[in-house]
Amino acid sequence: MTRDADSQGLVPAAQRPAASCSPGAPVSAQQIAAASQDCIVVLDAEGRIVQVEGAARDMLRVPAGQEPAGGSWFDLWSADEGHAAQAALDQALAGEVGRFRAFVRRWDGSFAWWDVQTSPLGADPSPPGQVLAVAREITGQHDAELRTQALAADLALRVRQHQGALAELNEKEQEHRALLDNLNDCVISIDQAGTIRSANPAVSRMLGYRIDEVVGRNVSMLMTAEDRMRYRGFLRLQASRAGTAPAFDAHSVRAIHRSGKTVPLELSISQYSAHGERFFIGTLRDLSERERLIQDLTRARVEAEQANHAKSAFLAAMSHEIRTPMNGVIGMIEVLAHSALNDTQTDAVQTIRESAFSLLGLIDEILDFSKIEAGHMQLECEPVNLRDLAEQVCDNLLPVARHRGTQLSLYVDPSLPAWIYTDPVRLRQVLVNLMGNSIKFSPSGSDKQGRVEVRMHALSDSYSISVSDNGIGMSDEVIAGLFSPFKQGEASTTRRFGGTGLGLAICKRLVDLMGGSIKVSSRLSIGSTFAVFLPMARVDAVEEDAKALRLDGITCVLADGDVDELIDIGDYLRAAGADVIGPVDDLDAFLSESPSQRVAIEGIANRAEQGRLLENARARSGTQARVIITRGNRRAPRLEAEGIVSLDSNILRRDALIRAVAAATGHFTITKPAWIPAAPSRTKPALPPSVAAARAAGQLVLVAEDDAINQKVILRQLDILGYAAEVAGNGEEALALWRKGGFGMLITDLHMPLMDGYTLARSIREEESGDGRMPIIALTANALRGEAATAFAAGMDDYLTKPLRLKQLEAALEKHLADSAGAGAAPAAPAPPAHASDGPIIDLAVLRNLIGDDEAAIQELLSAYCTMAPPSIKDMLAMARVRDYARASAEAHRLKSSSRAMGAALIADLCADIEDACRRQDAGGLDSCASRLADALAQLHDELPVLLATRRMDPGSER
């Protein structure tokens, strides 16, 4: 340091010694240092305190009696700050001024911030190597600086945050502006006066205006006259309302385009307040595309409806067009089956018949699936006896199961209601498909006997139908796609078992339509179970059958056989009121206690065991009532000996079991049960009756059919069943024939040219007198639902579908011609000779009804007929002699029509009989008809001169 303490002004004047205060007296450095408010410390080169001056003792908080001299300068500082003190000391020793700020630790343990400056003391009398350290306390200043720095940092942070917020706000504003600018919707803001404050660019695209053309103008410029009124009302309403809730939701408006055209828009309005003023934001969405879409959808819907109608018509047409030729195939097969065939031919006909019905089944499945897919499948809802329906289906499939060697069993839970509401046709279809499938896949021709079990159970508000088999089973992968159309379990399934793969798909869709569900479980080589769950709608108003047998007071003992089957038998018996015991192991020992009060139910036995059971039972005849249940397909209980009844278990009917028990105890006499179908009452006659005989007996059938093949089929079927018929090619011809009278029944196709079957039936019903009603049966190839209801509404009495089977036709004929069913049951007696007729050969009344009382015209027609008829009859007789059936039939058909028009009914009927005989190629019948026709020709020759003379003598002929 080059200056001393005095020169630095370290010693204040107020602290100088008094002696040296006289004017002109010099002030020493020591005096100055002693008067200083700073801490002045003299240090040696090692940092030891040599001397303290000024305010050092106060600033260091040195207690009284202690001397800081001799202490270490570095004890005042922490380790980190000691480095700064050492550096300042080194600088001073090097002849430089050092300076640092540090946190000093004082003698009393307190701390303070000091600003320290070090400088060398090189002037005399200072020893060499000493350093002067002057420290000033800056604790308050330091704290103020820290606070200032903190405030500056906080300010800087706030500035940065504000700048970030501004940047973000600017970015959001740009984003919102970009979003608003690129909206497809037009957004317009207006004030309370309706002045447009802003608009987005969509206003140009939507309404043709630039933004500057609308901003500042009233929004009414964009409105139609009608919407302006609504807009003014809206503003008035808003002026009277408080709050910022939306005035109204989106609604349709019409805006005015810059070009003057109107644009359909959807307007949504919201509002907000700013600066004490209310503003409204209107969002406009162009509805032009939506209106076009609606129009397109409307057209598409109309086209879809038309397509559905077309599809319905197509299905009806396909059903009719497919079934029409199938009627010819199947009908003629059945006709052929009733002819004289050898064994080889019979087998061939049977094969053709089975193939034809298989084809028809496939066609029906495809049509059914198409109807379901098209949404045209409609379900009926009518009372159905569930047990009867299940038993009927099992009866129908029993021959199929028997052919495959499959045992078929049925259990119907007695707790099921007797009657429920359902669609019997579709429920039967589901049962047939599931049972047919199980029979098809059951073992056949192997050591393992096939078994199909059908079970029906009552649930809380539904019922279940399960069909189980012990067939090939299925894997999980096969089950996953089982109900997909046209899909079967594996590639070889179709080749091995046949089918279209539609049966289960149809079942699934039918069950869905009926509000139910279907599930399947299966194990490979073990078998499969299909379970159907359907809602149960009970029929409450059904009276119980008063004649139903009861077993009250009878105790039945079950023994032997399959336990599960015996349990089912026990359920049936308990439901009928019987007490049931067992199954028991030792039946004889058990019965020895009270043999007369109990009925032993033994079985279920196979054929080999049946003989042993019967022999054992007969040995105890008269002492114990027994019912022996065996494996087999015979349906009725059989009385084997007194008190011993046998019954087969295949499709064991509950009624049959109860009858068997009642018969064994003497409460019922075994006769042919009413539920076994009766054998056909009609046997084929040697010859059907003649047309004249059938007409006289009221048994002549009128057939209205336009298809030549179907005409041939039904006429041959009627011939086999022993009925005579006349055929008409359309409704008009059939109505004309009916008006002539003599018919006992009409069988009519529904779809014919000129006049269809509906119109024909209605016309007949309108013209019928009150004395009688002729049965009319509809016969059509259209099997779509709804056709039958339409036919009945037209006045028809029955409805048959093609292909028409002989049994169906026979049942309809016997049902509707029951009053005179014997007409065709035996060979008809020959008609009396023509010359024995009591009436004239020509009935002039018929001719008068045809042309009136113009006698000249009557004579002209008589002459023409008498000129034409004899040669025609002679030609017909000649053709009959040489067995030219085709030409004889054609000539008879031609003469039949003209004879009937002339009133020559006998000749017309004989011509019809010749047609029929030619169609059957019945030589004997043709000869008989030809003989009678020759007699009729002779009668015509005898009576014609009298007829013509009568006409000439009639005074009216002169006019």
Side-chain angles (χ1 to χ4, degrees), residues 461-476:
D461 56 352
S462 61
Y463 64 97
S464 66
I465 304 172
S466 65
V467 181
S468 305
D469 64 69
N470 61 342
I472 61 175
M474 295 173 288
S475 64
D476 293 340

Side-chain angles (χ1 to χ4, degrees), residues 559-566 583 601-605 609 629 631:
D560 298 330
D562 183 271
V563 174
D564 293 334
E565 292 176 323
L566 290 176
I601 312 294
E602 295 187 75
I604 298 170
E609 296 173 334
I629 301 177
R631 301 290 185 193

Side-chain angles (χ1 to χ4, degrees), residues 782-828:
N782 190 348
L784 292 181
R785 176 156 295 196
E787 194 89 14
T790 308
F792 291 137
M796 302 185 189
D797 301 285
D798 212 337
Y799 182 85
L800 301 176
T801 58
K802 301 172 184 176
L804 181 61
R805 302 181 66 178
L806 271 174
K807 289 184 178 180
Q808 294 174 310
L809 179 60
E810 182 181 22
L813 291 166
E814 290 180 348
K815 175 182 177 182
H816 298 288
L817 288 176
D819 294 338
S820 54

Side-chain angles (χ1 to χ4, degrees), residues 890-932:
E891 191 63 33
H893 183 76
R894 184 175 66 85
L895 184 60
K896 177 183 68 174
S897 299
S898 58
S899 298
R900 204 173 297 284
M902 289 296 299
L906 178 59
I907 295 177
D909 287 346
L910 288 173
C911 288
D913 289 342
I914 288 176
E915 270 193 284
D916 189 49
C918 290
R919 184 173 61 251
R920 300 193 314 270
Q921 296 190 2
D922 179 7
L926 182 60
D927 289 340
S928 175
C929 293
S931 174
R932 287 185 285 159

Side-chain angles (χ1 to χ4, degrees), residues 23 71 80 108 148 159 171 173 220 289 293 341 409 478 595 678 719 811 837 854 870 951:
D80 292 337
D108 61 356
T148 303
V159 169
E171 183 180 347
E173 183 179 358
S220 61
E289 185 62 30
L293 179 60
L341 302 174
S409 65
V478 171
D719 178 64
S837 174
D854 189 341
R951 294 302 94 206

Side-chain angles (χ1 to χ4, degrees), residues 599-600 602 610 613-629 637-647 660-661 663-666 670:
V599 180
E602 295 187 75
Q610 179 180 357
L613 288 176
L614 287 175
E615 183 178 353
N616 184 35
R618 290 190 184 99
R620 296 171 175 79
S621 178
T623 63
Q624 179 63 58
R626 291 175 182 263
V627 175
I628 299 173
I629 301 177
R638 302 171 297 281
L639 186 64
E640 303 290 351
E642 184 180 355
I644 302 173
V645 178
S646 64
L647 180 67
V661 174
T665 57
I670 292 180

Side-chain angles (χ1 to χ4, degrees), residues 9-224:
L10 295 178
V11 182
Q15 297 182 6
R16 295 172 185 170
S20 54
C21 292
S22 60
V27 180
S28 66
Q30 188 173 1
Q31 290 177 326
I32 297 174
S36 174
Q37 296 297 315
D38 297 328
C39 175
I40 301 173
V41 179
V42 178
L43 305 174
D44 63 11
E46 300 299 328
R48 285 188 295 272
I49 300 174
V50 178
Q51 180 182 350
V52 294
E53 294 293 342
R57 294 185 66 90
D58 292 335
M59 292 177 61
L60 288 174
R61 305 281 176 91
V62 179
Q66 290 189 14
E67 183 62 42
S72 176
W73 168 257
F74 298 106
D75 290 340
L76 300 177
W77 319 105
S78 65
D80 292 337
E81 292 166 339
H83 294 297
Q86 181 67 55
L89 179 63
D90 292 342
Q91 282 182 296
L93 292 174
E96 298 178 0
V97 176
R99 190 165 188 171
F100 68 96
R101 282 187 178 187
F103 207 45
V104 64
R105 182 171 56 235
R106 297 181 287 200
W107 253 255
D108 61 356
S110 61
F111 294 89
W113 278 97
W114 282 7
D115 185 11
V116 181
Q117 178 176 301
T118 59
S119 58
L121 285 176
D124 293 334
S126 299
Q130 289 188 340
V131 173
L132 176 66
V134 180
R136 179 172 296 171
E137 185 173 346
I138 58 169
T139 301
Q141 178 184 350
H142 181 76
D143 291 343
E145 289 178 354
L146 290 179
R147 286 194 299 272
T148 303
Q149 291 174 0
L151 290 174
D154 182 65
L155 180 60
L157 177 62
R158 290 177 180 274
V159 169
R160 289 195 300 271
Q161 290 176 342
H162 182 67
Q163 290 174 342
L166 288 176
E168 184 177 355
L169 183 62
N170 184 53
E171 183 180 347
K172 288 292 184 182
E173 183 179 358
Q174 292 178 358
E175 181 180 343
H176 290 164
R177 174 54 59 183
L179 180 64
L180 195 62
D181 290 347
N182 290 280
L183 277 178
N184 288 328
D185 296 341
C186 176
V187 180
I188 297 176
S189 66
I190 63 173
D191 58 20
Q192 286 182 288
T195 303
I196 298 175
R197 304 295 294 269
S198 66
N200 69 336
V203 71
S204 300
R205 182 174 59 257
M206 191 176 296
L207 299 175
Y209 292 97
R210 296 192 311 273
I211 295 177
D212 60 334
E213 289 180 315
V214 296
V215 172
R217 299 183 63 182
N218 196 281
V219 72
S220 61
M221 66 174 288
L222 305 176
M223 300 178 182
T224 62

